[in-house]
Every structure is written in structure tokens, then in C-alpha cells.
Amino acid sequence: MIQRLGTTARASKIVKYNGVAYLSGQVAEGATIQQQTIDCLAKIDTLLLEAGSNRKQMLRATVWLSDMNLFAGLNEIWNAWVPEGHAPARACGEAKLARAELMVEIIVDAAYN
């Protein structure tokens, strides 16, 4: 059975199916890539908890940066946030994001109990 949480006409914040929670992409405000990454990851923590999951159960992460020159700043925060030994499969690319001030969008899929 598919379970949808936080559903609007456009999207669901979480879709749970067959032991996997698919989180919608998270963005945040902030003047630096570090601030935006910290806020995105805090939102992901909240969604993982709501889905019955946590950082150690992440399966895959997709990261979109507005500019690949922000990669080091993203990784500075990301590396401290991911529990040692529990890094998900990850892809990172450059994309035009929904608003000009956005520097990062992070999408996570995770197993849940």
C-alpha cells in the first residue's frame, strides 16, 4: 500500500512504499551554501522522523547545486551530518533551481521501520 504524507495538489512531502520513504526535495533560505545546507538537512531530519526513519537508514541522496563551485561548502556540512559508516549512495549535479537565491536542493530516499 502506498502512503502519502503532507500531500497537496502538487506534491507529497513523503511517499512511503514497500519499506522505502521517498522524501520531496528540500530547499532553504540563507546567505551561504553552508547555511542553506544546514537548514535543508534539518528539514530532512524532520521528514525522516515523520516517516519512521533516520539518517542511518538513508539509501540514496540526490543533491542539486546552483553552481558546482559550491561543492566544497556543501560537503563541509554534509560530511559532518552523515553518520559514519552510513553514507547513502549519492549523486550531485548542477541545475537551475526554482528561485535565484536557492543554492542547493537535497532529495533523500530512506528505509523505514
Side-chain angles (χ1 to χ4, degrees):
M1 179 173 102
I2 298 172
Q3 183 180 11
R4 300 173 198 282
L5 305 172
T7 302
T8 66
R10 183 177 301 162
S12 296
K13 289 183 180 181
I14 303 166
V15 175
K16 296 170 70 173
Y17 178 71
N18 202 28
V20 178
Y22 303 89
L23 308 184
S24 63
Q26 297 303 302
V27 297
E29 303 298 325
T32 67
I33 184 61
Q34 291 88 350
Q35 289 172 333
Q36 287 193 18
T37 302
I38 288 167
D39 288 349
C40 282
L41 296 176
K43 291 178 179 182
I44 289 169
D45 277 332
T46 298
L47 291 174
L48 287 170
L49 183 64
E50 186 177 345
S53 189
N54 59 64
R55 296 178 200 178
K56 290 184 177 181
Q57 293 183 285
M58 290 188 298
L59 302 171
R60 180 174 57 182
T62 304
V63 180
W64 295 112
L65 293 171
S66 62
D67 184 329
M68 286 306 292
N69 290 317
L70 300 170
F71 190 67
L74 160 81
N75 282 332
E76 174 187 328
I77 304 304
W78 176 268
N79 293 344
W81 180 78
V82 173
E84 186 173 339
H86 297 279
R90 189 182 99 166
C92 186
E94 183 176 301
K96 186 172 183 174
L97 299 177
R99 295 188 313 274
E101 66 273 15
L102 297 175
M103 295 179 229
V104 62
E105 180 171 357
I106 303 173
I107 306 160
V108 168
D109 303 331
Y112 64 89
N113 298 330

